[in-house]
Amino acid sequence: MVENMSQIKMAAPCLLGLEGLVAGELRSMQAQNVEAQNGRVLFEGDEAVLARANLCSRYAERIQILLGVFQARTFEQLFQGVKALPWEMWIGKSDAFPVKGRSLDSKLASVPDCQSIMKKAIVERLKTAYHLPWFEETGAVHQVQFLLMKDKVSVMLDTSGAGLHKRGYRANAAEAPIKETLAAAMAYLAHVRADSTLYDPFCGSGTILIESALLALRIAPGLRRRFAAEKWMQIPGEVWSAERRRAQEQILQDRPFTAYGSDIDPHVLQLAEENARKAGVGGCIRVEQRSVADFVPKTESGMIICNPPYGERLLDIRQAEELYAVMGRVFPQEWSSTVISPSEHFEALFGRPAQKRRKLYNGMIRCQVFLYPAQREKVQRV
């Protein structure tokens, strides 16, 4: 069992560019010693913080327990470094502990060999701790993960199971969907609030609409799913129950947030409605079949967040660029607009320079989020 649950060292891997957002939300969850690194955020906390981070993080990809970090240039160093870690504190006699990981710019380049060595080291440590000759591994899964980068090994236990971007509402998705964590980040950057009126004229299966609603209404994204560590004996079930109650209490009720989505494909609009219902926000989301060229606001005020086609998976470059020009003509300048695109010419095609830009990755595609604030004051002066 874990002796000091108030000082669990953890890591939250995230999409490149979202480290600051992840660090900020972890601090708001009472995490300690938060440190943003390239592609992940390190932090400390007790078992309640571990459960809270899984349930409530909008931008992290998963929550890991960081068991140790050490140098390894040989398999013997890797074996001894892994064997020295306190595996018996987390892995029980019957628990499963598969191993997977990555190696980047390291002398130990063979991932299968590293997996085999690490597995053997863990078994040897547990043999000594439990006085057993072998382990059946029929119990709860404790996924061991490692990252070997420039000969430095980080060894983790995954507590999430499925990635945190899998909220549980999107069993079906449109072609070229945006990742939930990225959509949530765009909603944050756009300053979505509980009284916002949002439009997405390329809504697809509704991810931006849904993540914006979850953020606006303070609905924890993990409330409708389960996590690997919920089956671990080391973390009492009451911890998870208490954190779920805490998350439920944070939800804002009877707020005017409304989101309108449109798309040219009626099939994806059905998916959007189904996904919104599964996410518990179907009551504040409306969708209709309409092209962006026919974009007509239904309200006097609002904001736009969208992920238009890039010309890589949907349409071609020329067609995508034509859409950017149409967007510049039909989007109300007195509204704020937040658009993600990989195009280096987006601003010229859109017809206006963005006030701010944020470099992010949508999958493996390097993009920028272009932030256009509302021009209401400028329009009034003119």
Side-chain angles (χ1 to χ4, degrees):
M1 297 294 291
V2 182
E3 296 174 358
N4 186 2
M5 293 293 274
S6 64
Q7 290 297 321
I8 305 172
K9 294 183 178 180
M10 289 174 271
C14 59
L15 297 174
L16 290 172
L18 297 189
E19 297 90 347
L21 273 64
V22 174
E25 67 175 357
L26 287 171
R27 291 189 183 99
S28 73
M29 297 177 200
Q30 288 77 54
Q32 304 297 314
N33 300 322
V34 179
E35 177 189 348
Q37 297 185 342
N38 193 31
R40 70 176 184 178
V41 178
L42 304 183
F43 64 104
E44 295 181 4
D46 59 12
E47 69 269 35
V49 170
L50 184 154
R52 190 177 307 155
N54 272 296
L55 283 162
C56 300
S57 178
R58 300 184 191 279
Y59 319 115
E61 292 301 307
R62 57 183 63 251
I63 303 300
Q64 303 165 326
I65 295 169
L66 183 60
L67 289 180
V69 179
F70 56 90
Q71 293 288 128
R73 295 182 177 87
T74 68
F75 286 127
E76 179 62 21
Q77 290 175 336
L78 179 64
F79 179 88
Q80 294 299 336
V82 172
K83 186 180 178 182
L85 299 176
W87 295 101
E88 66 276 7
M89 291 174 62
W90 291 104
I91 299 176
K93 295 178 181 180
S94 61
D95 291 338
F97 47 100
V99 180
K100 66 179 181 180
R102 294 183 297 155
S103 178
L104 303 170
D105 299 325
S106 298
K107 290 184 178 180
L108 301 180
S110 172
V111 170
D113 286 340
C114 290
Q115 289 174 302
S116 178
I117 292 294
M118 290 183 65
K119 183 76 172 186
K120 182 179 179 181
I122 299 169
V123 168
E124 290 303 312
R125 172 83 184 206
L126 295 180
K127 280 183 178 180
T128 302
Y130 293 130
H131 307 290
L132 291 173
W134 65 283
F135 298 91
E136 58 186 16
E137 297 193 53
T138 57
V141 175
H142 292 59
Q143 177 67 63
V144 179
Q145 297 179 323
F146 69 89
L147 174 62
L148 234 173
M149 180 177 290
K150 296 182 179 179
D151 300 323
K152 179 181 285 187
V153 188
S154 296
V155 183
M156 291 82 63
L157 279 177
D158 173 50
T159 71
S160 301
L164 294 184
H165 68 279
K166 296 185 178 180
R167 319 296 206 197
Y169 64 77
R170 200 174 78 175
N172 299 308
E175 188 177 356
I178 189 171
K179 206 169 191 178
E180 293 88 337
T181 44
L182 181 55
M186 290 181 66
Y188 174 85
L189 295 172
H191 302 294
V192 169
R193 298 290 183 265
D195 60 352
S196 296
T197 301
L198 169 69
Y199 289 78
D200 179 0
F202 303 95
C203 71
S205 55
T207 307
I208 288 176
L209 303 174
I210 294 168
E211 291 297 327
S212 296
L214 295 177
L215 175 64
L217 302 178
R218 298 184 187 174
I219 300 174
L223 269 178
R224 292 174 176 255
R225 56 159 289 180
R226 295 291 173 177
F227 306 93
E230 289 190 74
K231 296 181 179 180
W232 296 5
M233 65 178 182
Q234 294 83 5
I235 303 177
E238 175 54 31
V239 171
W240 294 94
S241 299
E243 288 304 317
R244 288 183 185 278
R245 289 194 298 271
R246 180 182 182 277
Q248 289 281 0
E249 293 168 358
Q250 301 295 317
I251 297 175
L252 299 178
Q253 305 289 345
D254 302 321
R255 297 305 173 98
F257 176 83
T258 307
Y260 295 95
S262 54
D263 203 284
I264 59 173
D265 184 351
H267 173 65
V268 300
L269 295 176
Q270 292 179 351
L271 292 180
E273 290 180 323
E274 180 182 344
N275 291 341
R277 286 195 297 270
K278 289 180 179 178
V281 294
C284 61
I285 291 177
R286 317 275 188 272
V287 298
E288 66 177 355
Q289 185 178 1
R290 185 186 295 271
S291 72
V292 67
D294 299 324
F295 178 77
V296 178
K298 299 179 180 296
T299 53
E300 291 186 5
S301 62
M303 63 195 312
I304 296 170
I305 307 176
C306 63
N307 174 39
Y310 301 167
E312 299 202 14
R313 288 177 287 184
L314 299 180
L315 306 182
D316 58 31
I317 296 295
R318 180 186 60 80
Q319 291 173 313
E321 291 182 342
E322 289 175 354
L323 282 179
Y324 301 158
V326 170
M327 291 160 55
R329 293 195 296 269
V330 303
F331 286 5
Q333 291 195 25
E334 64 271 23
W335 292 12
S336 68
S337 295
T338 303
V339 185
I340 186 169
S341 172
S343 173
E344 297 179 359
H345 311 293
F346 176 81
E347 290 165 294
L349 294 163
F350 189 71
R352 284 184 284 152
Q355 185 181 83
K356 294 182 180 179
R357 303 168 198 82
R358 185 86 172 235
K359 292 181 180 179
L360 294 173
Y361 278 81
N362 187 2
M364 298 301 294
I365 303 173
R366 184 178 181 182
C367 297
Q368 289 193 85
V369 174
F370 297 93
L371 300 166
Y372 293 88
Q375 298 295 305
R376 188 176 298 108
E377 293 182 2
K378 183 181 290 187
V379 171
Q380 291 174 348
R381 286 199 299 270
V382 173

